[in-house]
Amino acid sequence: MATARQTEDSDALVVRLYEAHGARGSVRVRFGVKATKVVECNLMEAQETAVPVEQDNSIHLHIRPFQVRSFLVWGTV
Protein backbone atom coordinates (compact mmCIF):
# COMPACT_ATOMS: atom_id res chain seq x y z
CA MET A 1 0.00 0.00 0.00
CA ALA A 2 1.30 3.51 -0.77
CA THR A 3 0.22 7.09 -0.20
CA ALA A 4 1.60 10.41 -1.42
CA ARG A 5 1.01 14.02 -0.47
CA GLN A 6 2.65 17.43 -0.77
CA THR A 7 4.81 18.49 2.18
CA GLU A 8 3.74 21.54 4.14
CA ASP A 9 7.10 23.33 4.10
CA SER A 10 8.77 22.44 0.77
CA ASP A 11 8.01 21.44 -2.80
CA ALA A 12 8.69 17.75 -2.12
CA LEU A 13 6.19 14.92 -2.04
CA VAL A 14 6.02 12.54 0.91
CA VAL A 15 5.63 8.96 -0.28
CA ARG A 16 4.81 6.37 2.39
CA LEU A 17 4.91 2.63 1.77
CA TYR A 18 3.32 0.07 4.08
CA GLU A 19 3.78 -3.69 3.83
CA ALA A 20 0.29 -4.97 4.75
CA HIS A 21 0.55 -8.73 4.14
CA GLY A 22 3.21 -9.86 6.63
CA ALA A 23 5.76 -10.53 3.89
CA ARG A 24 9.27 -9.30 3.18
CA GLY A 25 11.02 -8.69 -0.08
CA SER A 26 12.29 -6.34 -2.73
CA VAL A 27 10.25 -3.35 -3.86
CA ARG A 28 10.73 -1.12 -6.87
CA VAL A 29 8.94 2.23 -6.89
CA ARG A 30 8.74 3.95 -10.27
CA PHE A 31 7.78 7.63 -10.35
CA GLY A 32 5.51 9.26 -12.94
CA VAL A 33 7.58 12.46 -13.00
CA LYS A 34 11.36 12.79 -13.20
CA ALA A 35 12.62 12.33 -9.64
CA THR A 36 15.62 14.61 -9.13
CA LYS A 37 16.23 13.70 -5.47
CA VAL A 38 14.87 11.05 -3.08
CA VAL A 39 15.63 10.96 0.64
CA GLU A 40 14.31 8.44 3.14
CA CYS A 41 12.78 10.21 6.12
CA ASN A 42 11.21 9.37 9.45
CA LEU A 43 7.50 9.70 10.23
CA MET A 44 8.05 13.33 11.25
CA GLU A 45 9.56 13.89 7.76
CA ALA A 46 13.07 14.65 9.00
CA GLN A 47 15.56 13.73 6.27
CA GLU A 48 17.75 10.72 7.03
CA THR A 49 19.32 8.87 4.07
CA ALA A 50 19.70 9.71 0.38
CA VAL A 51 18.32 7.03 -1.95
CA PRO A 52 19.80 6.63 -5.45
CA VAL A 53 17.34 7.14 -8.32
CA GLU A 54 17.94 4.59 -11.07
CA GLN A 55 17.97 5.37 -14.81
CA ASP A 56 14.39 4.13 -15.23
CA ASN A 57 13.24 6.81 -12.71
CA SER A 58 12.75 4.31 -9.88
CA ILE A 59 14.14 3.41 -6.48
CA HIS A 60 14.78 -0.10 -5.22
CA LEU A 61 14.46 -1.10 -1.57
CA HIS A 62 13.75 -4.00 0.77
CA ILE A 63 10.79 -4.08 3.12
CA ARG A 64 10.02 -6.17 6.22
CA PRO A 65 6.62 -7.45 7.38
CA PHE A 66 4.28 -4.59 8.38
CA GLN A 67 7.05 -2.02 7.93
CA VAL A 68 6.30 1.62 7.09
CA ARG A 69 8.90 3.46 4.99
CA SER A 70 8.70 7.14 4.13
CA PHE A 71 10.47 9.12 1.41
CA LEU A 72 10.72 12.75 0.39
CA VAL A 73 10.72 13.03 -3.41
CA TRP A 74 11.66 16.11 -5.41
CA GLY A 75 10.99 16.13 -9.13
CA THR A 76 10.37 18.01 -12.32
CA VAL A 77 7.34 17.78 -14.56
Side-chain angles (χ1 to χ4, degrees), residues 38-42 46-51 68-72:
V38 177
V39 176
E40 188 158 10
C41 62
N42 62 25
Q47 297 183 28
E48 293 184 341
T49 308
V51 178
V68 175
R69 296 197 57 186
S70 301
F71 302 89
L72 295 171

Side-chain angles (χ1 to χ4, degrees), residues 13-30:
L13 289 177
V14 178
V15 176
R16 292 197 204 282
L17 306 174
Y18 172 63
E19 196 297 304
H21 301 284
R24 67 179 65 238
S26 295
V27 176
R28 181 173 303 278
V29 179
R30 186 166 293 133

Side-chain angles (χ1 to χ4, degrees), residues 29-61:
V29 179
R30 186 166 293 133
F31 302 105
V33 298
K34 176 64 178 156
T36 56
K37 179 181 174 184
V38 177
V39 176
E40 188 158 10
C41 62
N42 62 25
L43 292 175
M44 298 299 293
E45 300 172 16
Q47 297 183 28
E48 293 184 341
T49 308
V51 178
V53 179
E54 299 185 16
Q55 288 188 355
D56 65 350
N57 202 39
S58 69
I59 60 173
H60 183 258
L61 56 117

